[in-house]
Amino acid sequence: MPRPLSLQARSLAAAGIALTAFLGLAFFALDQAFYDAAEGSMRERLQSYVFAYLAGSDTTRGGELLPPEYGPDPRFDRPAGSGLYAGIVGAKIRGAKDQVWRSPSAQGRDLPFGEELPQGAVRFRGPIRTDQGDLFLLSQGVTWNTPGGGELQLTFHVAEDVNGLRRQVEIYRRTLLAWLGGLGVLLLLLLMAVLHWSLAPLRTLTRDLRRVEQGSQQRLTGNYPVEVAGITTGLNAFIDGERHRLTRYRNTLADLAHSLKTPLAVVRNQLESDSDPEQLRWTVLEQVGRMDEIVAYQLSRAATSGHSTFAAPLPVEPYAEEVVRSLEKIYLAKNILCEFDIDSQARFHGELGDLMEVLGNLLENAFKWAAHRVVLTVREIATRDKARPGLQILVEDDGPGIPEDKIEHILQRGVRGDERVQGHGIGLSIVQDIVKAYRGELVVSQSALGGARFDARFRVN
């Protein structure tokens, strides 16, 4: 697979295509505008020549038209190669043959001067292909009053070849092309500089990520713009969460190895001694039970996945119902009534295993100690500057409750509220570890129902 283009290359390519198209359209529009202006200027010039011929003409007493001796431009009087021609078509023109008078430059040339126009009509045409090259022709019909009271119907024709116009257009095009080309190159260079400056935060982010991967720095610490700051904040949270999770796994394995040393040492000492077989049997069973508790605790502790920045939000109500259905079967003889007060919009932004651990341990503890009633309340915690709301999970029961001086004691690992009740004594400590992993807090107090009240609050960040 070919390597994809960088953002800078993509932007330059897109801008180059757009700029080329824009400059091309601008060149076409400006060229057409200049050509139309030059053509309009030529028409006005030819019209002024017609007016000059009209002003310089006169009539004889016999009613014949006397064209001017000299044209308004010296090129009309040159016999060849002038590129500017004039002619008059009428019934009586002094010195004309076939009722057509021509300027010296038009003598002996095949020019389109035969058309006659009514009075006041003006016609501009061109380019017209002739033996003398392409011409622009302006014709105007006039009525001339003679001294004898008669009228002459005349048509004045003035023509000019297009070479002069084409030279002007070619010069203009070359100049315009040079300017637009230079402007396009300058704009591309400016765009490259702007893109290089604009994408600098992304290059800084890439370098910082590489340093984090290499271990030379712990977090993304650059001063990033607002558009990138959200990404870096999420990445920092992700990095911290992964580092915290790896540390927790390592600590859990170390704690497991350390915790198993003592019961294994006791078993080894009993095996190496000449102890009574029955005593050895009970010692081994006792230490195996202890190791089972240790393994169960450490596995449960390792299962807590902790805060996850990009976890999909989980609805709480269906999983709470699943946990309660299981507990109702286990504690069927106690006939516990579990009431739900759950916000339908409440979502847990984390791992499903963590949610099930929290709900399972808190609800099982409530079912274990409740007399007849358990209340589960779940609410969103509104935040002002966070993208997602927090979450509150509140479990209350009507059991005997927990004295205030023992609250800290029961949250310790391996401690049970009543040694006569079966359990490992690690359920509440697991809940506390999970809540801390999500940067939240677990508050234990007395419930209005008379029993214990466990308030777990999860923060978003």
Side-chain angles (χ1 to χ4, degrees):
M1 293 292 292
R3 184 177 180 179
L5 294 175
S6 65
L7 291 177
Q8 183 168 339
R10 290 170 181 260
S11 300
L12 282 176
I17 294 173
L19 186 60
T20 301
F22 173 76
L23 292 179
L25 291 174
F27 177 84
F28 175 79
L30 292 174
D31 177 72
Q32 187 64 37
F34 180 81
Y35 183 85
D36 293 341
E39 188 178 278
S41 176
M42 175 175 282
R43 173 171 180 166
E44 291 177 0
R45 186 169 60 252
L46 295 180
Q47 183 72 68
S48 68
Y49 290 152
V50 170
F51 290 153
Y53 271 106
L54 282 171
S57 300
D58 200 357
T59 56
T60 66
R61 292 181 178 181
E64 293 180 336
L65 179 69
L66 289 174
E69 184 176 355
Y70 300 102
D73 190 294
R75 290 179 293 171
F76 285 109
D77 301 323
R78 276 188 259 169
S82 68
L84 197 58
Y85 314 99
I88 304 174
V89 178
K92 296 179 181 182
I93 304 175
R94 175 69 63 89
K97 297 180 180 180
D98 301 328
Q99 292 84 39
V100 177
W101 174 87
R102 296 191 178 195
S103 65
S105 60
Q107 296 294 331
R109 301 181 184 280
D110 184 14
L111 298 170
F113 288 169
E115 183 180 11
E116 296 186 20
L117 298 177
Q119 178 185 0
V122 179
R123 185 178 183 188
F124 178 76
R125 294 178 293 165
I128 302 172
R129 290 189 176 274
T130 67
D131 294 340
Q132 311 306 315
D134 294 342
L135 303 174
F136 279 97
L137 174 65
L138 186 136
S139 304
Q140 180 171 351
V142 298
T143 299
W144 196 286
N145 296 320
T146 63
E151 292 182 350
L152 292 177
Q153 296 295 330
L154 304 172
T155 301
F156 285 76
H157 299 280
V158 178
E160 184 176 359
D161 62 25
V162 300
N163 292 331
L165 176 63
R166 287 174 177 171
R167 283 193 298 269
Q168 293 179 17
V169 172
E170 288 175 2
I171 294 173
Y172 176 79
R173 285 176 178 173
R174 287 196 298 268
T175 304
L176 180 62
L177 186 61
W179 278 100
L180 289 180
L183 179 61
V185 173
L186 180 62
L187 287 176
L188 282 178
L189 292 176
L190 180 61
L191 180 62
M192 289 178 62
V194 171
L195 285 175
H196 184 78
W197 176 74
S198 300
L199 297 178
L202 294 181
R203 289 191 294 272
T204 303
L205 175 60
T206 302
R207 288 194 297 268
D208 287 349
L209 282 174
R210 190 176 294 113
R211 293 192 187 101
V212 172
E213 292 174 355
Q214 295 171 353
S216 58
Q217 69 182 51
Q218 297 297 317
R219 306 175 84 249
L220 302 174
T221 57
N223 187 17
Y224 300 101
V226 177
E227 293 79 4
V228 184
I231 298 176
T232 57
T233 301
L235 287 175
N236 278 331
F238 181 76
I239 292 171
D240 293 342
E242 290 301 308
R243 188 175 288 118
H244 178 74
R245 190 175 306 177
L246 179 60
T247 301
R248 186 173 64 254
Y249 288 159
R250 290 173 178 173
N251 293 339
T252 300
L253 291 176
D255 291 347
L256 178 61
H258 179 77
S259 300
L260 291 176
K261 286 182 179 180
T262 301
L264 287 175
V266 172
V267 172
R268 176 179 291 180
N269 291 336
Q270 288 294 323
L271 290 175
E272 292 176 352
S273 65
D274 296 331
S275 301
D276 179 66
E278 186 65 20
Q279 181 182 357
L280 175 63
R281 176 174 177 273
W282 283 108
T283 301
V284 171
L285 288 175
E286 180 183 3
Q287 297 305 317
V288 168
R290 175 60 181 160
M291 286 188 287
D292 178 64
E293 292 180 357
I294 293 172
V295 171
Y297 163 64
Q298 297 293 352
L299 289 178
S300 298
R301 180 184 175 191
T304 61
S305 60
H307 175 260
S308 180
T309 303
F310 303 106
L314 299 173
V316 179
E317 187 170 5
Y319 299 107
E321 292 177 349
E322 180 181 344
V323 171
V324 169
R325 282 196 298 267
S326 300
L327 293 174
E328 287 176 344
K329 295 178 182 178
I330 297 174
Y331 295 95
L332 181 62
K334 297 184 67 174
N335 193 25
I336 301 295
L337 173 63
C338 183
E339 301 176 14
F340 282 1
D341 184 10
I342 300 178
D343 184 358
S344 60
Q345 302 299 321
R347 295 292 184 272
F348 178 76
H349 296 275
E351 299 295 331
L352 177 59
D354 294 342
L355 177 61
M356 295 300 287
E357 282 288 340
V358 171
L359 291 175
N361 283 294
L362 291 181
L363 288 172
E364 182 180 10
N365 183 78
F367 269 75
K368 184 185 299 182
W369 295 102
H372 297 289
R373 186 182 177 196
V374 173
V375 177
L376 171 62
T377 304
V378 180
R379 291 282 184 273
E380 285 187 347
I381 301 177
T383 55
R384 295 181 179 179
D385 56 347
K386 299 292 189 290
R388 301 178 302 190
L391 184 70
Q392 178 188 25
I393 298 179
L394 182 64
V395 178
E396 301 176 88
D397 63 72
D398 61 348
I402 305 172
E404 292 186 3
D405 57 343
K406 291 186 178 181
I407 290 178
E408 294 295 332
H409 180 68
I410 66 168
L411 292 179
Q412 298 177 6
R413 294 182 180 90
V415 176
R416 298 193 294 270
D418 190 340
E419 297 294 336
R420 294 170 297 177
V421 180
Q422 183 180 3
H424 293 155
I426 63 174
L428 295 179
S429 65
I430 290 176
V431 173
Q432 185 167 243
D433 289 342
I434 293 175
V435 174
K436 287 182 178 179
Y438 283 84
R439 304 177 181 89
E441 59 179 350
L442 176 64
V443 178
V444 182
S445 60
Q446 296 296 333
S447 170
L449 301 179
R453 182 179 187 268
F454 293 87
D455 186 359
R457 300 195 175 200
F458 298 85
R459 295 175 58 188
V460 175
N461 58 332

